[in-house]
Structures are given as C-alpha cells and as structure tokens.
Amino acid sequence: MENPLDVAALEAAMEKVHRAGVPGVFAEVCDGGHVWRGAAGVADVATGRPVTAGMRHRVGSITKTFTAAAVMRQVEGGRIGLDTSIGHYLPRLVPGDRGDAITVRMLLNHTSGLAEYLPHAYPSLKAFPSVADTRPDSLDDNRLTRFDPADLIAMGVGAPAVGAPGGTPGVYSNTNYLLLGRLLEQVSGTTAERCVTQDVIERAGLTGTGFPAGPQVDGPHPRMYEAWFGMIEPPRDYSVYDMSWVGPAASLISTVADLNRFFGMLLAGEIVDRSSLAQMRRTVPVVSQEGKVIDYGLGLHPMEVPGGGTFWGHGGTVWGGGAMSMTRADGGRRMSVAVNLQRWNELDSSGKPRPHPIDGALAGFYRVAMSW
C-alpha cells in the first residue's frame, strides 16, 4: 500500500521549526499503519545533546483530555452526573448558590464562570492577561513550591467571576480542572492522578505516560526553555519544576507516540463509550488563554484543516514546554508534536505579542502533518 505520509515534506517542515528558533522539536505522524517519527535540534542548548522522537515531555493542558475522559468513565459508572451541580459533591469548595448553579459539564467545558487562579498564586503574574504588566520572577520563586490544590481552588473561586454559570462564551480556566480532580478523588476514593492512571492511562496501554512523582522528569527528556515574551533572555531552563501548581489540569508527562495512541483510541470509542464521546464533542464558544474564541467540548476541541477534514485534540504549555496532539475525526490521521521553548513572541509597543517566525513554521508543520 502506498505511504500516504510525505516524509520529505514532514522532515523539511520540522527543520523549519527548529531553524525558526525552537531549540528542539519532535513529532510522530500516523496514517493507518504508516508511522513517521522525526526530531530536529537539541534537547540541551548547553551540551548540544540532540532531541529524539522518543523523549518524554511535559504536555501541559493535554492533561485536561485525560482528566475529562476519567470523569466520563465515572459518569458511565453512575458515580458522577454531568448536569449535577458541583456544590452537590464539593459544597465546601464551591459553596452556596454558586456551587448549586455550576454543573460538572460547565467545569469540563469552561463555562463555569470561575476565574483562573494562576495570577493569584504567582504574584508577578497578577496583571495577567495584561502580559506587558507581568514579570517572570514568580516562575523562579516557585520552582519547588508544593501547592495545595484546595488553596489554588480557593483563589479561583474567591476571584471575581469571569461570567455567569453556563454563559457563553466561556473563559478557559485551570480552576475548573482542579475542581474536577477533587471530584474524582471524592467519587473514586483515591487520588485524582491514580484515578486517571487506572481508568485512562492503563486502559489505553500507555507505557511512557504518567504524572510526575517529583520535580524531575524521569527518563530521556529535553530541557525546557521559557522566554516569557522576551523578558527572559536567553530563555531559561524550567525542566525541573514542582507541578503541583497545575496537577490534574496540566502536569502530565508523555511521549508523542503515546499521545497519538491515546487520541486514536479515544476517538474510536475505546477509552469512553460512544455516548460519552458524543458528549465530549459537543462544543461551546470559549475564550482561550490567548484571548481567542475557540470551540471547546469536554476536554476536547476541534480544528478544521483545509483539505484534511476535522481534527480533534488539545494543546498544552507549561513553563518552557509545549505540545499539540490532533487526530482526524475518523482516526485515520494522527499528529503529535512537542517543542522545548515557550512564549517566544516579544511584545510590541501596545503590549501585544509580535508575530514570530516560529508561529508560521509551526503552522506549516501542522498543515503538512494533517493534510491528506
């Protein structure tokens, strides 16, 4: 059978991402039984150690899809109601009328109206989303800080609401997924991380995926360089970091091969059942952390690719690291890519991120990877 993957185009597109300024980039693209894995650049700018396609990497908010799938597994078992209020389960964390008005579904699709806790946990980010008025100092201050998720949730719940429960467009907030983590603990009798591991990671047979036991990434991995919009120059390594600041919202470590396997199985109805998958693919408009309105389901969002159809997946960033994983709706084409540099755009005179060659190079790689 003819290979539908244009290997030369994939390799050239990946090299362009590296040449545009990303120290290291690696990916896997699959179509049917055909698999391409590639890498370009370095895992460590100091030593020149090359990046490889099999490395483990912090995948940020792609974790949300795993957590959402674990919640849906509990819904299937009758232990969680999608349209039951979070106040019913966690009245102390979201008390009163607000807890009664916010449902589990609203947490999953970011229409709860709960604010992001991060600017309250990291003092130098207090002005976010006004990026020009932020500073990266708190990133260093909290490298080894062990946050209590209840404290972070209280920051988000205590902040001014960003919308009415169920209102659209929703506003993307990590507070929602920390609450879902506590909900999983409540109904499963174990930690959220263990629940996700048992119900999703092990169910999918993922051998390179897991939650960190400490601030280190176990196994071969790249260093991760944060630029914070040009305020950290040269970009600084944040690969050693206590990930309790995001927990079940964004702390997962995985590989590009595992991500493709997971999303392929999810969209085939092999992680959650078909009715749960249909719920996950019901979208509402949500304002992303970049300020763009996107369609968002329950831990999944779609991407329309000219000439490629509709893809479903998620992206994610942490300090210094980023990843994107998208799978065509029929499961036929899968793409996962990871980079070890974040927030490379400097700010213009109005405080907005300037376009950077990396943006165009990454978009170009996505087009090649997801086209027929």
Side-chain angles (χ1 to χ4, degrees), residues 8 36 67 82 93 181 192 207 231 255 300 330:
W36 171 86
T67 298
L82 261 186
L93 290 178
T207 58
M231 298 180 206
T255 66
L300 275 177
D330 64 4

Side-chain angles (χ1 to χ4, degrees), residues 17-31:
V17 175
H18 169 54
R19 290 181 180 276
V22 174
V25 52
F26 53 107
E28 180 189 85
V29 181
C30 308
D31 196 308

Side-chain angles (χ1 to χ4, degrees), residues 21-372:
V22 174
V25 52
F26 53 107
E28 180 189 85
V29 181
C30 308
D31 196 308
H34 298 278
V35 179
W36 171 86
R37 296 187 185 101
V42 297
D44 186 327
V45 298
T47 67
R49 174 170 58 95
V51 71
T52 64
M55 285 182 161
R56 303 185 78 225
H57 191 61
R58 299 195 195 277
V59 299
S61 285
I62 294 175
T63 308
K64 290 181 173 67
T65 314
F66 285 75
T67 298
V71 170
M72 297 309 296
R73 295 271 296 154
Q74 297 294 325
V75 170
E76 291 168 12
R79 291 174 289 275
I80 291 176
L82 261 186
D83 296 306
T84 301
S85 72
I86 194 61
H88 171 77
Y89 300 105
L90 303 171
R92 292 184 179 180
L93 290 178
V94 194
D97 292 343
R98 200 176 188 193
D100 293 338
I102 296 172
T103 66
V104 174
R105 185 189 301 274
M106 293 173 196
L107 298 175
L108 286 162
N109 67 12
H110 297 294
T111 59
S112 70
L114 293 172
E116 173 63 57
Y117 62 78
L118 192 57
H120 305 278
Y122 281 65
S124 70
L125 306 185
K126 184 178 180 180
F128 190 86
S130 176
V131 176
D133 297 319
T134 65
R135 291 295 178 268
D137 310 45
S138 299
L139 278 62
D140 285 308
D141 296 341
N142 288 293
R143 281 180 183 268
L144 300 178
T145 300
R146 194 68 185 167
F147 286 103
D148 183 332
D151 292 340
L152 297 175
I153 290 167
M155 294 175 192
V157 172
V162 293
T168 55
V171 178
Y172 190 97
S173 170
N174 284 299
T175 306
N176 294 317
Y177 275 74
L178 288 197
L179 275 164
L180 291 168
R182 296 307 291 264
L183 174 61
L184 287 173
E185 291 177 5
Q186 174 101 346
V187 301
S188 71
T190 187
T191 65
E193 289 81 4
R194 188 63 197 145
C195 183
V196 174
T197 299
Q198 291 174 331
D199 278 3
V200 180
I201 295 171
E202 291 176 356
R203 183 176 176 83
L206 308 182
T207 58
T209 300
F211 290 94
Q216 308 275 352
V217 178
D218 293 334
H221 63 278
R223 296 188 179 277
M224 293 179 283
Y225 300 98
E226 179 63 48
W228 195 257
F229 305 101
M231 298 180 206
I232 305 176
E233 179 56 44
R236 196 173 302 144
D237 174 21
Y238 287 91
S239 54
V240 176
Y241 213 93
D242 189 303
M243 297 302 291
S244 59
W245 65 282
V246 280
S251 67
L252 203 65
I253 298 166
S254 191
T255 66
V256 290
D258 271 10
L259 291 178
N260 277 341
R261 177 177 172 85
F262 165 68
F263 279 101
M265 292 180 70
L266 180 67
L267 290 175
E270 296 173 9
I271 305 296
V272 301
D273 66 28
R274 290 288 183 178
S275 62
S276 293
L277 181 60
Q279 293 287 345
M280 293 180 76
R281 288 168 60 172
R282 284 177 56 184
T283 65
V284 294
V286 167
V287 179
S288 73
Q289 287 186 320
E290 293 75 34
K292 300 175 182 177
V293 177
I294 61 172
D295 292 326
Y296 197 93
L298 308 185
L300 275 177
H301 72 84
M303 180 186 295
E304 296 296 330
V305 179
T310 302
F311 282 69
W312 291 86
H314 214 290
T317 70
V318 293
W319 311 134
M324 172 73 80
S325 188
M326 302 298 293
T327 292
R328 202 169 65 209
D330 64 4
R333 177 68 67 97
R334 287 158 283 151
M335 174 212 75
S336 292
V337 58
V339 295
N340 66 346
L341 176 69
Q342 279 303 301
R343 283 158 284 273
W344 49 75
N345 305 85
E346 295 185 358
L347 303 179
D348 63 21
S349 58
S350 67
K352 302 295 183 184
R354 285 195 186 101
H356 191 285
I358 293 172
D359 303 320
L362 266 177
F365 180 82
Y366 298 156
R367 281 193 300 272
V368 173
M370 293 192 285
S371 63
W372 293 91

